[in-house]
Amino acid sequence: MTATAGAAALTTAGPAEAAPASANPPPATAQRPTRELRALLREIDSARIEATVRELVSFGTRHTLSVQDDPARGIGAARDWLAAELRSYAAASGGRMTVELQSYVQEPAPRIPAATRITNVIATLRGAVTPDRVYVVAGHYDSRVTDVMDATSDAPGADDDASGVAVVLELARVMATRRPASTIVFAAVAGEEQGLYGSAYMAQRLKAAGADVQGMFTNDIVGSPTADDGTRDPYTIRLFAEGVPSSETPEQAAIRRSVGGENDSATRQLARFVRDVAENDATAMRVRVIYRRDRYRRGGDHIPFLERGYPAARFTEPAEDFAHQHQDVRVDETGKQYGDLPEFCDFDFTARVAKVNAAALWTLAQAPGTPTGARIVTTDLTNSTRLVWTRGTEPDLTGYEIVWRETTSPDWTHVVPVGDVTTHEVDLSKDNVFFGVRAVNRAGLRSPVAFPAPQA
């Protein structure tokens, strides 16, 4: 079976459910979807997402330690199929998209008993205007059962994490024929269940190359909105976003403590941006931002990016059913089915998650980059606030906006256009509110907010 062949229409979605109207007004910084973005979102196809999930399940197990040279079973077969799919999308890109197998040999380590080749399957869509600015979206294609070292039993991994890989592939397919201003990397990584090995290798390669990664998203367990008690929340996706940066130095920590910046890391600004551009009628989704790096006792492929100083966040379904992840496929004495099987996925839900990702990634790639050098001038003690920043180099940059909010507010509440300048004074005390700066381009697209540090 191939992902282009379609798939059975059966899901566990049940009767049609209407997306609930939002009870809260959008943030002051919200951006309505453009006509271009709406057209892109309409191309996202739940049947293709289902076909991808079922194809990955068909390889039996995708355990990192499973066989790599069998054409029909194991992680090697999954790797080769993913590469072929991405290459088929790249063929329609006019040379803008390239595909690589990013491999290395992981020497013995925790959960890796013998030297093992780990391979990430990566498609890169090069930006047409600012190609050095990079955004990454990932899912992990390895799978597991109850025993994390069991490399031979069937480990279907439909929700964890064929669903996330299906999101990545669908985004690559619909974006391959388009021309983003900045570069987008679509990654199916391996070694996640054994310890985030593939993602760590990719993040380290990007760091060593000096890549300007301004945002990374991992989609991990995005296949179902149904909780273990049967309740459903089919129009919400969680986005985990850390506050205190994993890469923070002692000097940065001292500054953060002095200004109260615990809720204003680059990752938190990225999460706010996702809500700004992806919580609307075009996606029909609510983005529930969780102020944590990840769930308790869990981790994901965004963490190696955070550890290297990149803004990164994790999409995960609204409430998990643990009977259908990290479990041997079996039926217990009560007749309950265990195992991460595709019949417990809702592919319409996953398609909406893909739309949230697409809205965020496409707007990030088309908008200006996050402003650099943002500072609050603290030379004089006054009841006004002067901000300075460095002008961006984008050819379609038209100016900047100052945003602010009460220190107790999670969202930016005020926006003031200030024009194409690199300094502006606001008649508000820096001691009483939080400030930020964002860039605007000719199309009216806004960047994520830069949180200013104090400048003496």
Side-chain angles (χ1 to χ4, degrees):
M1 185 179 82
T2 63
T4 56
L10 294 176
T11 71
T12 58
E17 299 169 87
S22 175
N24 301 314
T29 46
Q31 303 185 55
R32 294 295 300 163
T34 63
R35 182 180 292 110
E36 175 187 52
L37 177 57
R38 288 181 182 275
L40 186 155
L41 297 182
R42 284 194 294 270
E43 293 181 25
I44 291 174
D45 186 347
S46 63
R48 286 180 175 272
I49 286 172
E50 179 175 1
T52 296
V53 170
R54 292 185 182 276
E55 182 70 22
L56 288 170
V57 169
S58 76
F59 296 115
T61 179
R62 305 186 307 277
H63 195 283
T64 295
L65 306 178
S66 64
V67 63
Q68 297 201 20
D69 57 0
D70 186 318
R73 183 178 176 84
I75 195 166
R79 171 201 64 211
D80 295 344
W81 180 80
L82 288 166
E85 283 297 294
L86 288 170
R87 286 175 182 137
S88 74
Y89 307 154
S93 72
R96 292 183 301 279
M97 179 180 281
T98 56
V99 178
E100 66 171 313
L101 295 179
Q102 186 186 77
S103 293
Y104 80 105
V105 175
Q106 174 61 52
E107 296 300 328
R111 295 186 177 185
I112 304 286
T116 301
R117 180 166 294 279
I118 292 177
T119 302
N120 301 323
V121 187
I122 297 176
T124 301
L125 181 60
R126 185 172 173 80
V129 181
T130 50
D132 291 340
R133 177 154 48 98
V134 178
Y135 300 97
V136 179
V137 61
H140 71 87
Y141 71 100
D142 59 307
S143 63
R144 61 166 286 187
V145 289
T146 305
D147 179 359
V148 72
M149 302 305 292
D150 181 350
T152 58
S153 297
D154 280 353
D159 193 1
D160 185 13
D161 185 35
S163 65
V165 174
V167 167
V168 172
L169 260 64
E170 187 64 358
L171 296 178
R173 183 185 71 84
V174 300
M175 292 184 185
T177 58
R178 291 174 161 85
R179 294 177 179 271
S182 299
T183 295
I184 305 175
V185 175
F186 308 88
V189 301
E192 193 271 353
E193 301 289 8
Q194 305 310 110
L196 313 180
Y197 287 104
S199 178
Y201 184 72
M202 177 172 62
Q204 185 56 39
R205 286 276 300 270
L206 288 164
K207 191 70 175 180
D212 182 20
V213 178
Q214 294 196 12
M216 183 273 182
F217 302 106
T218 185
N219 287 265
D220 196 351
I221 312 179
V222 293
S224 172
T226 305
D228 51 8
D229 63 357
T231 58
R232 289 172 51 80
D233 191 359
Y235 295 96
T236 297
I237 185 68
R238 289 185 291 174
L239 181 60
F240 286 86
E242 76 171 12
V244 176
S246 295
S247 62
E248 187 177 69
T249 66
E251 293 77 15
Q252 290 167 335
I255 293 171
R256 171 181 52 78
R257 288 192 295 267
S258 73
V259 302
E262 292 80 6
N263 198 19
D264 282 284
S265 64
T267 294
R268 290 278 166 88
Q269 308 302 348
L270 184 66
R272 292 185 177 104
F273 181 92
V274 173
R275 281 199 59 213
D276 284 349
V277 302
E279 191 173 87
N280 50 53
D281 65 308
T283 67
M285 289 291 275
R286 172 190 175 221
V287 179
R288 182 180 180 185
V289 177
I290 307 292
Y291 288 165
R292 286 198 174 101
R293 187 168 77 165
D294 211 318
R295 298 102 72 232
Y296 281 99
R297 299 178 60 194
R298 308 294 286 274
D301 289 315
H302 59 310
I303 292 176
F305 283 79
L306 291 168
E307 291 172 341
R308 288 157 180 82
Y310 295 131
R314 173 186 180 136
F315 286 109
T316 295
E317 62 200 26
E320 297 168 73
D321 186 341
F322 300 103
H324 304 305
Q325 54 178 267
H326 294 191
Q327 291 283 343
D328 293 340
V329 179
R330 66 192 190 281
V331 177
D332 71 8
E333 63 277 3
T334 69
K336 181 179 177 63
Q337 176 72 64
Y338 285 81
D340 192 353
L341 299 163
E343 51 261 43
F344 297 105
C345 291
D346 179 339
F347 302 106
D348 290 335
F349 168 78
T350 305
R352 290 193 293 274
V353 175
K355 289 183 178 183
V356 169
N357 277 261
L361 282 165
W362 190 254
T363 309
L364 284 165
Q366 299 295 73
T370 304
T372 60
R375 296 287 187 271
I376 286 181
V377 178
T378 59
T379 306
D380 300 315
L381 296 178
T382 70
N383 284 317
S384 63
T385 303
R386 185 158 68 92
L387 296 105
V388 298
W389 57 91
T390 303
R391 191 183 189 281
T393 59
E394 296 89 350
D396 61 346
L397 182 67
T398 58
Y400 291 87
E401 294 174 341
I402 302 297
V403 301
W404 74 84
R405 70 182 200 274
E406 292 291 327
T407 62
T408 53
S409 173
D411 297 312
W412 300 110
T413 54
H414 295 77
V415 181
V416 175
V418 298
D420 191 0
V421 297
T422 57
T423 183
H424 185 78
E425 188 160 326
V426 183
D427 190 20
L428 285 171
S429 172
K430 53 188 165 292
D431 298 324
N432 295 342
V433 299
F434 286 136
F435 286 98
V437 183
R438 68 177 183 175
V440 186
N441 70 7
R442 192 177 301 119
L445 297 175
R446 274 77 172 170
S447 73
V449 169
F451 185 68
Q455 174 179 293

